[in-house]
Amino acid sequence: GDREHVCDLTIEPVLPLDEGEYRCQVSGGDGVPAIASPPAALSVNSEPGQPYIVQAWEEDMVEVQEGEEVELECQSQGGRPPAEIQWWDGEGRRIVSDVTEHVKRMEDRKTFKTVSTLKFTPNRPMRIKCSAHNDQFADTKQSDVMEVVFKEKVGMGIKTLKEEESFEVKCEDNEPSDHLGYKWFINEKEIINESKNILKIEHFVKAHDKSVIKCFVEDDQGNTQVMKIVQLQLVTQDKEDKTKITESRKKKGKDTGVKKTVFTCVAEEETSAEPNYIWISGKLEKTVEALDDSDKKFKCKVVEDGYDKIKKMRNKMQGIFKSVRKFRKKLNKIVKSFDD
C-alpha cells in the first residue's frame, strides 16, 4: 500500500537515555552504497522527581530549643532542566531568607539533582514544606509537611543542703540507650570526667551556696540537650534571739536630761538568759561587749526614737485600762442594783 516503503521509528515511553542523533538509512542494491537521511537530534526533558525534606525521612517532626538555629535540606532528582526548589510555611507563605541551592548532574549524565538548604531561627512552632518544578512542566510537586516544635523548657529545681552534706543529682529518671553520654556543669564550667547519669558530690561547702548545676545529654549525632537544672542552697539554723531593752537614767524626782534610748540585742548563741548591758555617758559603747552570766556575747543595735514609741504605747495602754476600770465600776453598780 501507500506505506509499503515507509519506515517509522516509535519510542515509547521516551527516556533520558534515548536522547541523541537518529538517521534513517536505506541500503542500496548490488554495488550501490547505502543512502542515509540527515541526522535528527532528539532532546529529552524530564519532570522533576518528588521533593522531600531529608530531616523528615524518618520522622516528620523536629524538636529544637527556643532560639536555636534550624537547618533543613530539600532534594529533588531526575529533572531536566534542573528543578527549582522553593520553601513554604504552614500558612502558604514562601520562605526566601537564607536559602542556598546547588545542582549536580546525575550518574546518567542526562538529568540533574537539585539540593536546597534552608537555615532559620523559629520564633514559634511552625510547619515547613518544599516544592519542585522546572520550566518544561506545568505541575509543581510538593514534599510532605515537617513540623518544627520547641522542646519543653527545663525548670530550675532547688536542692537545700547542710554544710558538709553529701548528695546525688540524677540527670534522667530513665536512662535512654541512644545517648552517648552525659555532660555536667557547675556555674557554666564543665565538671571533667563526669559522664554518667548520676552526679555524686561529697561534703557540700558554703562556697557552693547558690551554685547552679546543669546536665546535658549527647546523642550519636553530636547534638546536646539540657535535661536538668538544679540550684544548690545552704540551710543555716536560725540562732537569732532578739530582745528589746529599754534603759532610762532618772534621778529620784528629777530628770537628768539624758535622752532615753531603745536598742535591739541579738544573741550570737541560743540562750534564754537575759544579758546585762553596759552604758557609758548615756549611750551604748560599741567597744564594750554585752555579756550574760554565761559570758555569751550579744550584738546590739540602736532603734531610732524607740523610747518615744514605747512611751506612746504605754500611754495608750493606760487609757485602755482606765476605760476598763470605769466600765467595771458601772457594771458593778448595775449588778448591785439587781441584787437589792
Side-chain angles (χ1 to χ4, degrees):
D2 294 340
R3 298 184 58 84
E4 183 178 350
H5 302 291
V6 176
C7 182
D8 290 338
L9 174 64
T10 301
I11 304 174
E12 186 180 0
V14 65
L15 300 174
L17 56 85
D18 296 322
E19 186 174 278
E21 288 188 352
Y22 291 83
R23 295 172 183 268
C24 175
Q25 180 174 301
V26 179
S27 60
D30 297 334
V32 178
I35 302 173
S37 67
L42 175 63
S43 179
V44 180
N45 292 323
S46 297
E47 188 176 13
Q50 181 71 29
Y52 63 93
I53 299 175
V54 175
Q55 287 74 15
W57 189 257
E58 295 182 355
E59 296 185 12
D60 58 1
M61 182 179 69
V62 60
E63 290 184 314
V64 299
Q65 298 284 357
E66 189 171 355
E68 179 183 351
E69 184 181 64
V70 179
E71 182 175 328
L72 301 178
E73 183 178 292
C74 178
Q75 296 185 9
S76 176
Q77 304 180 16
R80 178 170 178 170
E84 179 184 348
I85 293 178
Q86 296 175 339
W87 291 91
W88 309 87
D89 65 15
E91 284 73 40
R93 296 184 294 246
R94 186 180 174 187
I95 304 173
V96 295
S97 59
D98 208 352
V99 175
T100 57
E101 190 171 278
H102 301 281
V103 176
K104 300 178 181 178
R105 193 178 291 272
M106 300 286 290
E107 293 181 359
D108 60 11
R109 311 302 298 174
K110 304 292 185 181
T111 57
F112 299 90
K113 172 183 176 180
T114 304
V115 179
S116 178
T117 303
L118 168 67
K119 293 181 181 180
F120 68 104
T121 302
N123 53 16
R124 56 182 173 81
M126 58 192 307
R127 296 160 62 88
I128 301 289
K129 64 181 178 181
C130 61
S131 65
H133 74 282
N134 63 20
D135 297 337
Q136 300 298 316
F137 295 87
D139 292 340
T140 298
K141 296 182 178 180
Q142 296 186 346
S143 71
D144 293 332
V145 174
M146 181 167 197
E147 293 191 52
V148 179
V149 298
F150 290 149
K151 294 177 181 177
E152 184 177 350
K153 290 185 177 180
V154 179
M156 180 182 293
I158 303 296
K159 190 170 186 66
T160 55
L161 300 160
K162 296 179 181 179
E163 200 163 1
E164 296 298 323
E165 182 179 352
S166 300
F167 64 97
E168 296 180 352
V169 179
K170 197 171 185 179
C171 189
E172 292 185 286
D173 293 332
N174 298 317
E175 189 172 348
S177 58
D178 58 345
H179 288 163
L180 293 182
Y182 297 83
K183 291 185 178 181
W184 291 90
F185 293 79
I186 182 166
N187 298 331
E188 306 302 333
K189 294 182 179 180
E190 186 173 359
I191 305 175
I192 306 301
N193 298 327
E194 290 292 345
S195 59
K196 296 183 179 180
N197 188 36
I198 297 177
L199 175 68
K200 298 181 180 180
I201 294 182
E202 303 285 342
H203 307 301
F204 175 72
V205 295
K206 186 177 181 180
H208 283 159
D209 184 29
K210 308 298 183 185
S211 294
V212 176
I213 291 178
K214 292 182 181 180
C215 175
F216 291 78
V217 294
E218 184 178 7
D219 60 21
D220 55 2
Q221 302 295 322
N223 301 314
T224 58
Q225 177 184 351
V226 61
M227 297 300 295
K228 181 69 65 77
I229 303 176
V230 177
Q231 185 182 60
L232 309 180
Q233 290 189 359
L234 176 66
V235 177
T236 56
Q237 293 182 349
D238 186 7
K239 296 183 179 181
E240 295 187 348
D241 179 23
K242 298 183 178 180
T243 308
K244 290 187 177 180
I245 308 295
T246 302
E247 210 291 349
S248 63
R249 285 172 168 260
K250 287 187 178 180
K251 290 185 177 180
K252 189 177 281 190
K254 187 178 180 181
D255 192 346
T256 61
V258 178
K259 184 178 179 181
K260 286 79 177 177
T261 305
V262 175
F263 61 95
T264 300
C265 293
V266 182
E268 290 187 332
E269 297 181 48
E270 290 183 350
T271 178
S272 58
E274 292 185 1
N276 295 322
Y277 300 96
I278 299 175
W279 285 82
I280 298 177
S281 302
K283 64 179 181 179
L284 183 68
E285 289 287 350
K286 294 182 179 179
T287 56
V288 178
E289 293 181 339
L291 304 172
D292 66 2
D293 294 337
S294 302
D295 291 337
K296 292 180 179 178
K297 296 180 181 179
F298 289 77
K299 293 181 179 179
C300 300
K301 180 180 178 181
V302 173
V303 179
E304 284 293 329
D305 299 325
Y307 181 78
D308 293 337
K309 292 176 182 177
I310 292 178
K311 189 175 180 181
K312 288 180 181 179
M313 291 174 61
R314 183 196 64 186
N315 293 336
K316 288 182 179 180
M317 292 299 296
Q318 287 177 347
I320 293 173
F321 291 148
K322 288 180 180 178
S323 299
V324 171
R325 283 198 299 269
K326 289 180 180 180
F327 178 75
R328 186 177 62 185
K329 288 180 180 180
K330 290 182 180 180
L331 187 62
N332 289 337
K333 289 181 180 179
I334 293 172
V335 173
K336 186 175 180 180
S337 65
F338 282 126
D339 293 339
D340 294 341

